[in-house]
């Protein structure tokens, strides 16, 4: 099964000026270094944040969080959350992560939350 973030991963690591998400060999090596066991948690969390920032505006807002949940739960009708379930989940994520209560998650807030996650520290970006 394909990685639900494959397009975002290619986009984040691509240095192509054509906006076609193509990757050079150097881009590929950069990606592998971030996904390696030797990459620090800060580097992994920085790239995870960029991958989850679907609109690339430097913050994770409700729309980004909804897209993230949809990627994680699948796009099929049977796995899709109801509007109420999605709203509750996004609200819970914001309550846990949005330290400055501005309705979004910035990189520093994301990294703080990630630093408390033993699973992220152990597995990081190993999709």
């Amino acid at each position: 099964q394909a990685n639900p973030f494959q397009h975002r991963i290619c986009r984040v690591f691509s240095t192509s000026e054509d906006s076609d998400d193509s990757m050079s060999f150097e881009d590929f090596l950069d990606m592998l270094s971030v996904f390696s066991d030797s990459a620090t948690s800060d580097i992994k969390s920085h790239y995870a944040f960029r991958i989850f920032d679907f609109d690339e505006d430097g913050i994770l807002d409700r729309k980004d969080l909804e897209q993230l949940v949809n990627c994680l739960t699948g796009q099929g009708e049977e796995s899709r959350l109801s509007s109420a379930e999605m709203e509750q989940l996004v609200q819970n994520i914001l309550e846990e992560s949005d330290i400055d209560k501005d309705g979004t998650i910035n990189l520093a807030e994301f990294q703080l939350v990630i630093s408390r996650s033993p699973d992220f520290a152990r597995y990081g970006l190993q999709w």
Side-chain angles (χ1 to χ4, degrees), residues 13-56:
F13 286 96
S14 174
T15 58
S16 172
E17 294 179 12
D18 296 330
S19 298
D20 61 0
D21 301 339
S22 63
M23 293 177 70
S24 68
F25 183 67
E26 289 80 14
D27 295 338
F28 182 72
L29 291 177
D30 288 343
M31 180 188 70
L32 289 180
S33 70
V34 170
F35 283 88
S36 78
D37 291 339
S38 62
T40 66
S41 183
D42 280 348
I43 295 222
K44 288 179 184 282
S45 61
H46 170 80
Y47 279 95
F49 181 86
R50 288 188 56 204
I51 291 166
F52 300 157
D53 182 13
F54 291 90
D55 58 9
E56 300 179 5

Side-chain angles (χ1 to χ4, degrees), residues 3-19:
N3 184 320
F5 298 102
Q6 67 186 6
H7 172 72
R8 289 294 307 147
I9 291 169
C10 289
R11 179 131 182 108
V12 165
F13 286 96
S14 174
T15 58
S16 172
E17 294 179 12
D18 296 330
S19 298

Side-chain angles (χ1 to χ4, degrees), residues 72-125:
L72 292 173
T73 60
Q75 300 299 317
E77 196 65 37
E78 68 283 349
S79 62
R80 182 160 289 147
L81 298 179
S82 70
S83 294
E85 291 169 326
M86 178 66 79
E87 177 58 31
Q88 185 61 55
L89 182 55
V90 168
Q91 188 60 39
N92 290 348
I93 293 169
L94 288 171
E95 284 175 12
E96 290 290 320
S97 308
D98 182 17
I99 296 165
D100 62 9
K101 303 301 180 203
D102 67 349
T104 65
I105 302 168
N106 61 38
L107 177 59
E109 291 168 330
F110 181 79
Q111 287 181 318
L112 180 64
V113 169
I114 291 302
S115 71
R116 297 185 210 149
S117 169
D119 285 340
F120 190 85
R122 191 171 347 158
Y123 302 112
L125 289 178

